[in-house]
Amino acid sequence: QHLGVKCVLALTATASKCTVDNIAELLDIRRDHVIMGSAVPDNLVITVSCEGNREQALVDLFRSSPFNSCESVIVYCNRQQTTERIAQLLRTSLQYLDEEEDV
């Protein structure tokens, strides 16, 4: 009510139960309206890289299994400029991937 909205969707991937409870309390979300789950679905792969050259590591990741056979992949970026740069990098770096596999 304080925010002036009728519906609030709050998402978090790593919050503890205590943090979730605090967020729900601050947003005035009833406890029975909080949905929590810990299992990662079978069709979701989460990876983290500590590579020095993150862009090259991303290209290498997409060329490796199982990513080279995925029909879709989501890459999260924190800025639109980064998103556009990464999209261009992947388009140019992976444009011949199908042809390389046929050789």
Side-chain angles (χ1 to χ4, degrees):
Q1 291 174 350
H2 175 72
L3 297 174
V5 295
K6 293 181 180 182
C7 182
V8 173
L9 174 64
L11 303 173
T12 177
T14 58
S16 66
K17 182 181 181 321
C18 180
T19 301
V20 170
D21 290 343
N22 287 338
I23 292 170
E25 182 180 343
L26 289 170
L27 294 176
D28 198 26
I29 298 172
R30 292 189 349 226
R31 186 69 183 117
D32 61 327
H33 288 171
V34 175
I35 301 170
M36 288 182 62
S38 60
V40 175
D42 292 339
N43 66 339
L44 180 63
V45 177
I46 300 172
T47 66
V48 177
S49 175
C50 297
E51 299 290 328
N53 185 340
R54 296 186 305 176
E55 292 180 6
Q56 185 58 50
L58 183 61
V59 170
D60 293 343
L61 181 71
F62 275 40
R63 288 182 172 156
S64 68
S65 180
F67 299 98
N68 59 357
S69 62
C70 289
E71 292 183 22
S72 62
V73 176
I74 299 172
V75 177
Y76 289 95
C77 301
N78 60 352
R79 293 192 177 103
Q80 182 175 348
Q81 179 182 4
T82 305
T83 302
E84 292 168 357
R85 188 180 76 250
I86 295 299
Q88 181 62 36
L89 169 72
L90 293 175
R91 273 193 298 271
T92 57
S93 299
L94 303 176
Q95 65 183 336
Y96 301 113
L97 188 60
D98 288 335
E99 293 173 13
E100 291 173 8
E101 290 176 356
D102 292 337
V103 174

